[in-house]
Amino acid sequence: MTAPPAARLPLTAPTFTQRFSSTPLGARLARHLALNQLHAWGIRYGSEASERAAAVVAELAANAVTHGRVPGRDFELRLSLPTGSLRIEVTDTRAERPPPGPGAVPPPQPLAESGRGLILVDALADRWEVQDRVPPGKTVLVEIDLPRWLALVKRLPERRPPKRRGTGGAAGTCTP
């Protein structure tokens, strides 16, 4: 006997992907849209997970704009809810300057005005890594564990492919 449809979990993780201009405004917009998407998924504004994600997205987007910018190229933000966690991925197109990975982030000089972003990411993330990307570029992937992940996913609307409704017209056409 199969479980009722309401008890079934999706086979694919809910995902949000958006490209942004490599500008300070693009970085700010990435943070705002990330928080809005998390809220839509049930990760409420002001919650610990939301605050951690906001800081991580802000730092990674700022790094993509500051250190990963290639004129005329955007950066990409991808959020997903794989089993048990929130995954944040920020991809830029500059490959020749990869950031240090987990455990290799040097401490900043005491009076330095920069150099603390990845230390913050390291402190807020449960797991993170830097991946090369083809075509050239890199992705910084961060995971934040969500203890109430199952409750979140159960509340998400079921995602089914749209039903095709024919109107008696040509074969293969459908109406929205």
Side-chain angles (χ1 to χ4, degrees), residues 54-163:
V56 166
V57 170
E59 288 300 331
L60 296 181
N63 284 353
V65 168
T66 305
H67 305 293
R69 183 175 186 275
V70 173
R73 301 281 176 95
D74 297 337
F75 74 93
E76 182 178 274
L77 169 66
R78 180 179 171 92
L79 305 172
S80 60
L81 290 174
T83 304
S85 65
L86 165 64
R87 180 174 292 160
I88 301 165
E89 300 173 52
V90 175
T91 301
D92 65 50
T93 54
R94 175 160 277 167
E96 66 271 10
R97 294 187 351 185
V105 179
Q109 296 299 317
L111 299 177
E113 293 182 11
S114 63
R116 291 171 178 79
L118 288 178
I119 291 173
L120 184 63
V121 168
D122 194 47
L124 295 172
D126 290 300
R127 289 166 301 286
W128 71 285
E129 65 183 12
V130 179
Q131 301 175 338
D132 290 333
R133 151 181 147 18
V134 177
K138 63 190 166 296
T139 299
V140 179
L141 186 146
V142 172
E143 285 194 354
I144 297 172
D145 290 337
L146 298 174
R148 300 194 36 82
W149 175 87
L150 187 57
L152 285 172
V153 173
K154 283 183 176 180
R155 284 195 310 252
L156 293 175
E158 189 173 338
R159 296 177 305 160
R160 292 185 177 172
K163 292 183 180 179

Side-chain angles (χ1 to χ4, degrees), residues 13-88:
T15 303
F16 168 85
T17 304
Q18 181 71 46
R19 297 183 79 78
F20 297 93
S21 63
S22 291
T23 63
L25 180 60
R28 194 173 92 201
L29 184 58
R31 180 183 172 279
H32 286 291
L33 288 180
L35 285 174
N36 190 44
Q37 183 61 52
L38 295 180
H39 187 76
W41 283 343
I43 302 171
R44 302 290 175 226
Y45 297 118
S47 67
E48 179 190 353
S50 177
E51 294 294 318
R52 288 171 66 188
V56 166
V57 170
E59 288 300 331
L60 296 181
N63 284 353
V65 168
T66 305
H67 305 293
R69 183 175 186 275
V70 173
R73 301 281 176 95
D74 297 337
F75 74 93
E76 182 178 274
L77 169 66
R78 180 179 171 92
L79 305 172
S80 60
L81 290 174
T83 304
S85 65
L86 165 64
R87 180 174 292 160
I88 301 165

